[in-house]
Coordinates of all heavy atoms in Angstrom, one line a residue:
E257 N -13.2 7.5 13.6 CA -14.2 6.6 14.1 C -13.9 6.2 15.5 O -14.8 5.6 16.2 CB -14.5 5.5 13.2 CG -14.9 5.9 11.8 CD -15.0 4.7 10.9 OE1 -14.7 3.5 11.3 OE2 -15.4 4.8 9.7
L258 N -12.6 6.3 15.9 CA -12.2 5.8 17.3 C -12.3 7.0 18.3 O -12.3 8.2 17.9 CB -10.8 5.3 17.2 CG -10.5 4.2 16.2 CD1 -9.0 3.9 16.2 CD2 -11.3 3.0 16.5
S259 N -12.3 6.6 19.5 CA -12.3 7.6 20.6 C -10.9 8.2 20.6 O -10.0 7.7 20.1 CB -12.6 7.0 21.9 OG -11.6 6.1 22.3
S260 N -10.8 9.4 21.3 CA -9.5 10.1 21.4 C -8.5 9.2 22.1 O -7.3 9.2 21.7 CB -9.7 11.4 22.1 OG -10.2 11.2 23.4
E261 N -8.9 8.4 23.1 CA -7.9 7.5 23.7 C -7.4 6.5 22.8 O -6.2 6.2 22.8 CB -8.6 6.8 24.9 CG -9.0 7.8 26.1 CD -10.3 8.5 25.8 OE1 -10.9 8.2 24.8 OE2 -10.6 9.3 26.7
H262 N -8.3 5.9 22.0 CA -7.8 4.9 21.1 C -7.0 5.5 19.9 O -6.1 4.8 19.4 CB -9.0 4.1 20.5 CG -9.7 3.2 21.6 ND1 -11.0 3.1 21.7 CD2 -9.1 2.6 22.7 CE1 -11.3 2.3 22.7 NE2 -10.2 2.0 23.4
Q263 N -7.4 6.7 19.5 CA -6.6 7.4 18.5 C -5.1 7.5 18.9 O -4.2 7.3 18.2 CB -7.2 8.7 18.1 CG -8.5 8.6 17.3 CD -8.9 10.0 17.0 OE1 -8.2 11.0 16.9 NE2 -10.2 10.2 16.7
T264 N -5.0 8.0 20.2 CA -3.7 8.2 20.8 C -2.9 6.8 20.8 O -1.7 6.8 20.5 CB -3.8 8.7 22.2 OG1 -4.5 10.0 22.1 CG2 -2.4 8.9 22.8
E265 N -3.6 5.7 21.1 CA -3.0 4.5 21.2 C -2.5 4.0 19.9 O -1.4 3.4 19.7 CB -3.9 3.4 21.8 CG -3.2 2.1 22.2 CD -4.2 1.2 23.0 OE1 -5.3 1.6 23.3 OE2 -3.7 0.1 23.3
V266 N -3.3 4.2 18.8 CA -2.9 3.8 17.5 C -1.7 4.6 17.0 O -0.7 4.0 16.5 CB -4.1 4.0 16.5 CG1 -3.6 3.8 15.1 CG2 -5.2 3.0 16.8
L267 N -1.8 5.9 17.2 CA -0.7 6.7 16.7 C 0.6 6.5 17.5 O 1.7 6.7 16.9 CB -1.1 8.2 16.9 CG -2.2 8.7 15.9 CD1 -2.6 10.1 16.3 CD2 -1.9 8.5 14.5
A268 N 0.5 6.0 18.7 CA 1.7 5.7 19.5 C 2.5 4.5 18.9 O 3.6 4.3 19.2 CB 1.3 5.4 20.9
L269 N 1.7 3.7 18.1 CA 2.4 2.5 17.5 C 3.2 2.9 16.3 O 4.0 2.0 15.8 CB 1.3 1.5 17.1 CG 0.4 0.9 18.2 CD1 -0.6 0.0 17.7 CD2 1.3 0.3 19.3
L270 N 3.0 4.1 15.8 CA 3.7 4.5 14.6 C 4.7 5.6 14.9 O 4.4 6.5 15.8 CB 2.7 5.0 13.5 CG 1.5 4.1 13.2 CD1 0.6 4.8 12.3 CD2 2.0 2.8 12.6

Side-chain angles (χ1 to χ4, degrees):
E257 301 173 357
L258 304 177
S259 67
S260 59
E261 291 82 3
H262 293 142
Q263 289 183 23
T264 300
E265 191 171 359
V266 170
L267 294 175
L269 301 179
L270 311 173

